[in-house]
């Protein structure tokens, strides 16, 4: 089954002033679309056509580098779009809030650790909240890598490739990450992912 580029779950200008319409047009219509197209070309004759995206990501890691890179970037971006929303960053739903406070002490600490992970990811990559062995943790990965290949379940995804923030923040990645945690995170989606991961 071929991969398809998902529509953004909100209008292109809906995340302003934190992410501009121009950023979302480039990021979704050019960058994410290119990963989908390249992954589809590489998927042909790979023997993996019938598998799910998650299975393809896990099975190609370390074996088929070009297909892994493009399929993982498709997975990562699809999760990133759902991890953010207009007027995000507000109230964390109850069950998730309780679990985050158990793991980190406070919601402020979770935000701090996410900003720290994204800031210290050298070069291109991603920061995450993951569930592993029933616990929530912060993670970071380089390039297209993601927590699926480490046996963890991603519940929140932050893109820290320069194409994500360079138009709006230039080199100020920490400012983008601060806006992400304070004004963009879709905690309802993260809670949905958390509930599914611990079921
Ligand atoms: Mn990106």
């Amino acid at each position: 089954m071929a991969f398809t580029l998902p529509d953004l779950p909100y209008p292109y200008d809906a995340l302003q002033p934190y992410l501009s319409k121009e950023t979302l047009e480039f990021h979704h219509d050019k960058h994410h679309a290119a990963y989908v197209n390249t992954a589809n070309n590489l998927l042909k004759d790979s023997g993996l056509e019938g598998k799910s995206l998650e299975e393809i990501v896990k099975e190609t890691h370390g074996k088929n580098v070009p297909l892994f890179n493009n399929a993982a970037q498709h997975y990562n971006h699809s999760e990133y779009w759902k991890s953010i929303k207009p007027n995000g960053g507000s109230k964390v739903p109850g069950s998730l809030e309780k679990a985050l406070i158990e793991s980190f002490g406070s919601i402020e600490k979770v935000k701090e650790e996410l900003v720290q992970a994204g800031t210290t990811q050298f070069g291109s990559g991603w920061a995450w909240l993951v569930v592993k062995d029933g616990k929530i943790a912060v993670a970071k990965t380089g390039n297209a890598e993601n927590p699926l290949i480490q046996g963890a379940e991603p519940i929140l995804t932050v893109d820290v490739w320069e194409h994500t923030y360079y138009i709006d923040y230039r080199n100020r990645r920490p400012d983008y990450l601060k806006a992400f945690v304070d004004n963009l995170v879709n905690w309802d989606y993260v809670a949905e992912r958390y509930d599914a991961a611990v079921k």
Side-chain angles (χ1 to χ4, degrees):
M1 197 181 65
F3 302 122
T4 46
L5 179 66
D7 289 335
L8 281 183
Y10 28 73
Y12 287 86
D13 60 0
L15 302 180
Q16 302 192 115
Y18 307 109
L19 290 174
S20 64
K21 181 168 180 270
E22 186 184 3
T23 288
L24 290 202
E25 284 170 350
F26 271 91
H27 199 179
H28 178 271
D29 298 2
K30 307 284 183 203
H31 292 277
H32 189 174
Y35 296 126
V36 170
N37 291 336
T38 307
N40 278 332
N41 287 331
L42 295 167
L43 186 63
K44 287 173 199 152
D45 306 318
S46 67
L48 298 167
E49 291 91 332
K51 308 258 183 181
S52 71
L53 176 57
E54 285 85 346
E55 287 169 331
I56 291 167
V57 167
K58 288 178 192 169
E59 290 185 25
T60 55
H61 185 244
K63 293 180 191 139
N64 181 339
V65 174
L67 180 53
F68 170 80
N69 282 339
N70 287 279
Q73 284 294 78
H74 173 39
Y75 176 89
N76 298 349
H77 283 90
S78 300
E79 288 303 312
Y80 174 68
W81 304 129
K82 291 186 280 190
S83 292
I84 54 184
K85 68 168 188 178
N87 305 311
S90 46
K91 184 90 181 87
V92 181
S95 65
L96 174 65
E97 185 182 37
K98 188 164 169 281
L100 285 171
I101 289 170
E102 264 169 33
S103 296
F104 295 89
S106 70
I107 300 300
E108 278 313 303
K109 191 84 175 79
V110 178
K111 292 182 180 182
E112 246 171 60
E113 288 201 22
L114 265 174
V115 170
Q116 178 69 4
T119 302
T120 57
Q121 170 54 44
F122 185 76
S124 295
W126 301 81
W128 312 83
L129 280 181
V130 302
V131 173
K132 193 169 185 183
D133 305 323
K135 287 211 178 344
I136 306 179
V138 169
K140 58 181 178 178
T141 59
N143 299 317
E145 304 263 318
N146 70 35
L148 291 176
I149 59 178
Q150 302 158 346
E153 195 60 36
I155 61 171
L156 176 149
T157 309
V158 194
D159 193 341
V160 299
W161 284 57
E162 278 189 350
H163 65 229
T164 309
Y165 58 86
Y166 215 81
I167 291 170
D168 300 318
Y169 298 87
R170 295 302 174 193
N171 60 322
R172 293 176 287 113
R173 189 192 287 186
D175 290 355
Y176 152 68
L177 287 164
K178 187 90 177 63
F180 179 95
V181 296
D182 286 339
N183 305 104
L184 291 169
V185 178
N186 182 349
W187 286 113
D188 293 324
Y189 180 68
V190 181
E192 216 177 275
R193 295 281 295 175
Y194 172 71
D195 291 343
V198 296
K199 227 173 219 152

